[in-house]
Amino acid sequence: MKRPSMPMAIAGFVLFALVAGGGLAATLSLSQPPRGAASGTLTLSGPAHGAVAAYKGPHEVLYDQTDNPGTDAITSQDFEAANNAYDAQAADDFVIPAADGMWTIDEVYVSGAYWNGDPGGPSLQANVYFYENVSGLPGTQVYSALGVPSGEAGGHFTIALSTPAVLPAGTYWVSVQARMDYAGGNGQWGWTERTVQSNSASAWRNPGDGFSSGCTNWGNRVSCGTGSDPDLIFRLSGIRGAAELPNIDVSPLALASTQGPNTTVSRTLGIGNTGEADLTWNIAEEPVLRRVVLELDHGVVSPDAVNAPISLVLDDGTRENGIGIGGTYQFIFLNRFTPDAGSYPIALNQVQIYFAEQDMVQVGDEMRLALYENTSGNSNPAIGSNLRATFDVTVGALDAWNTYNLATPVTFNGPGDVLIGVIALEMPGSSYWPAAIDQTASQQRSWVGWWTTPVAPTPPVLPPDDDWTLIDNYFPGNWMVRGYGESEAPCTDLADVPWLSVNPVTGTTAPGASTPVAVTFDSTGLALGTYNANLCITSNDPDPGPGNGTKLVIVPVELTVADVGPGPSVLEIPTLAPVGGALLGLALAGLGLGVLRRRRA
């Protein structure tokens, strides 16, 4: 249907001191000074740069950058909460040749040292990340292993990855952080510099800018004032080429049944294996306390009826206006939520968005949910943000809350911000204001932005490169975008679900085959209502999650016991994508809606 037209309304330095008991306790610094030199009031502690440890197998060295060590070590550390502003990451790049096809990386070695502590270290845990390469700097995160044993040996880490990083040919970046508190005499850990550059020079970031370098996002490390030598000492080991591994493929990724009382319904879950080795798997059940969904007379899900353990809500439920940027460019509108630190980890499993007909939105319009996490503590949600997942959805109802159940819940480890963004993908070329806004009492947590190109980039990394602003700078209010979830990671409280049965619960699936599993819903003796559970599938697949590196495949299951008639409109999302001076005017509804106009070059 053609959209009707509608007039638009125009309108090494010492950077931080910790004080305890009235005296200077220690200092945090960007890099380790040469041995024997003073760092503030302290001298360097911890071992000197020792010899590089040899690889001990069992596979082969894939990439070796352990020659030409420098004399300094660069801070790359995940501190305790009191020092989150000083959390920093260093990273260096490497190339997987096209001839190799892919690498299965199961060990990361880095050379390092301690300082500013008494005695200094040890760091028994480390965080390991791999990123795609974007214009000579780290881009999208493609792998993470948090809090893994560091294999610490005098400041040098030999980190075994129990879940290997499987990467196809291309250029990537590896980042290693020591997970170590500064307090208690531990001090700092740093990654040893390398005097010779291979590929791009190493990168660094300090999202909280505690070191006042200005490098809150990835930048050239030396240009950030962090050290003087271009590269870092590291080595990657594992298997070259495609390893013979199983690969689990579960379908569908969510199951549901609406049925009358005292009935049974069976669904089929397929456990497929697209790998090259036998897949062994096991299915466990987990009851889930989900929200209670009530219906209004007109069949719209009531926003006040949600009873989830974690409710992320900024608006008051009433739409006062709609905002757009003209209908010729895609744009993102995003809410910043900050749950209590004690609520983490949080498994987000539902997003709700309000769409209004008078905002020129139509049923079937395409939107993209973009979920980010930010643990930097910065009030600007773009600085230090990490994209966790995207979901493509469509508008299912107008003048109503559209409910999107995430087939695979997204876990946020926190503490920090949960960012829920909506990218309006439609470009009708005319008036279009899809971002419904509540303007009763602004929480000053709703942001909007757009890119220099009409189509949003993939992935939609923040901030957008044209404009990024708190919507209150133009139209104070709160986007009508909400999130709901659980206050603990799914599949951590396994127990029998009385109304659910699974057969078989364990098995072995050969390469290229699929095993059918019967999942039976039994409403016998249950009251009318909605019941939820998870099927928690473990296997010998080293990376079973759909692009997210988890050790589980989680299949949400929902049983609705009803008399007759359809329930509220709930859109199921079948897949998870792997893991992004305006001239403005506002008029009241009926006369015109809020319009953000792009800057013209």
Side-chain angles (χ1 to χ4, degrees):
M1 182 178 75
K2 182 179 180 181
R3 298 176 187 274
S5 61
M6 186 172 184
M8 291 188 186
I10 305 296
F13 303 104
V14 175
L15 298 173
F16 176 71
L18 292 176
V19 178
L24 180 65
T27 56
L28 285 174
S29 59
L30 277 172
S31 62
Q32 171 193 5
R35 185 166 177 81
S39 174
T41 60
L42 301 177
T43 58
L44 174 66
S45 62
H49 301 300
V52 172
Y55 179 60
K56 299 179 180 179
H59 298 127
E60 64 175 310
V61 174
L62 302 173
Y63 185 85
D64 195 337
Q65 192 170 291
T66 56
D67 57 345
N68 299 294
T71 58
D72 288 356
I74 302 304
T75 185
S76 185
Q77 187 167 341
D78 181 7
F79 293 98
E80 66 269 45
N83 287 313
N84 274 349
Y86 300 90
D87 289 351
Q89 280 180 270
D92 210 343
D93 63 337
F94 62 95
V95 177
I96 300 177
D100 285 358
M102 69 174 59
W103 287 355
T104 301
I105 303 169
D106 58 18
E107 182 182 290
V108 177
Y109 172 85
V110 295
S111 175
Y114 300 104
W115 73 96
N116 273 352
D118 184 12
S123 175
L124 301 181
Q125 292 184 322
N127 300 331
V128 178
Y129 305 88
F130 287 94
Y131 300 89
E132 292 179 341
N133 177 68
V134 176
S135 301
L137 289 171
T140 302
Q141 179 183 304
V142 294
Y143 175 92
S144 67
L146 306 180
V148 296
S150 64
E152 201 280 337
H156 308 307
F157 296 167
T158 302
I159 305 167
L161 302 178
S162 58
T163 299
V166 181
L167 305 175
T171 301
Y172 297 90
W173 292 76
V174 60
S175 174
V176 175
Q177 279 182 308
R179 166 68 286 279
M180 185 176 72
D181 292 353
Y182 179 79
N186 296 319
Q188 291 180 255
W189 177 86
W191 192 345
T192 304
E193 287 187 296
R194 180 174 182 252
T195 59
V196 175
Q197 179 176 328
S198 298
N199 308 311
S200 296
S202 60
W204 187 81
R205 68 175 176 179
N206 172 211
D209 205 24
F211 292 109
S212 301
S213 67
C215 289
T216 57
N217 210 337
W218 291 112
N220 178 282
R221 178 174 58 79
V222 174
S223 297
C224 291
T226 310
S228 57
D229 293 329
D231 268 5
L232 299 168
I233 297 291
F234 73 98
R235 181 180 63 220
L236 306 175
S237 306
I239 299 173
R240 197 181 307 270
E244 291 187 358
L245 299 171
N247 184 49
I248 193 169
D249 182 16
V250 177
S251 180
L253 286 174
L255 291 171
S257 176
T258 299
Q259 60 198 71
N262 303 314
T263 59
T264 58
V265 172
S266 185
R267 299 277 189 263
T268 299
L269 185 71
I271 309 294
N273 179 10
T274 59
E276 299 177 348
D278 285 350
L279 173 77
T280 58
W281 49 268
N282 181 78
I283 303 177
E285 300 173 4
E286 180 190 46
V288 175
L289 174 63
R290 293 289 197 218
R291 62 203 57 80
V292 178
V293 180
L294 305 179
E295 293 182 43
L296 303 180
D297 291 341
H298 55 293
V300 177
V301 176
S302 167
D304 297 324
V306 175
N307 184 27
I310 297 295
S311 297
L312 306 177
V313 178
L314 297 180
D315 65 274
D316 66 359
T318 303
R319 171 209 166 276
E320 270 83 35
N321 226 302
I323 304 295
I325 64 170
T328 57
Y329 274 69
Q330 297 176 355
F331 71 102
I332 184 171
F333 52 104
L334 176 147
N335 276 346
R336 170 183 170 237
F337 304 99
T338 309
D340 292 339
S343 300
Y344 288 94
I346 293 171
L348 187 73
N349 49 44
Q350 186 183 97
V351 172
Q352 292 186 5
I353 311 170
Y354 190 90
F355 293 110
E357 183 175 12
Q358 70 187 95
D359 296 341
M360 312 304 287
V361 181
Q362 294 184 10
V363 171
D365 279 0
E366 296 180 345
M367 304 285 165
R368 178 168 296 148
L369 307 183
L371 308 179
Y372 308 80
E373 183 170 26
N374 192 323
T375 59
S376 71
N378 200 299
S379 59
N380 183 339
I383 298 176
S385 64
N386 285 309
L387 179 65
R388 299 305 310 275
T390 59
F391 298 86
D392 285 348
V393 301
T394 57
V395 176
L398 298 176
D399 299 325
W401 286 94
N402 286 244
T403 300
Y404 302 104
N405 290 332
L406 309 186
T408 301
V410 179
T411 299
F412 298 83
N413 293 312
D417 294 337
V418 175
L419 312 176
I420 302 179
V422 183
I423 300 175
L425 300 179
E426 297 292 334
M427 295 184 288
S430 59
S431 304
Y432 191 54
W433 306 283
I437 191 170
D438 150 46
Q439 295 186 287
T440 304
S442 175
Q443 308 297 320
Q444 298 187 3
R445 285 176 164 267
S446 294
W447 292 71
V448 65
W450 52 87
W451 294 267
T452 54
T453 56
V455 176
T458 302
V461 177
L462 297 178
D465 61 359
D466 191 342
D467 211 342
W468 176 246
T469 183
L470 189 69
I471 191 60
D472 295 66
N473 291 330
Y474 304 104
F475 308 106
N478 313 299
W479 300 130
M480 298 185 71
V481 176
R482 301 174 170 185
Y484 299 96
E486 309 295 329
S487 59
E488 62 177 277
C491 293
T492 57
D493 191 16
L494 304 179
D496 179 65
V497 178
W499 50 268
L500 188 67
S501 62
V502 178
N503 184 40
V505 296
T506 187
T508 299
T509 303
S514 181
T515 302
V517 175
V519 180
T520 302
F521 298 77
D522 187 351
S523 63
T524 302
L526 297 180
L528 300 183
T530 300
Y531 302 84
N532 293 87
N534 287 325
L535 294 181
C536 307
I537 306 174
T538 55
S539 72
N540 63 334
D541 181 347
D543 184 17
N548 60 6
T550 65
K551 296 182 181 299
L552 290 169
V553 175
I554 302 167
V555 178
V557 179
E558 182 171 280
L559 167 63
T560 301
V561 183
D563 278 335
V564 291
S569 174
V570 176
L571 305 182
E572 295 291 341
I573 303 168
T575 58
L576 170 64
V579 107
L583 176 64
L584 305 166
L586 174 64
L588 295 177
L591 301 177
L593 298 172
V595 179
L596 299 173
R597 292 195 181 279
R598 298 185 63 256
R599 288 191 300 261
R600 300 298 182 187

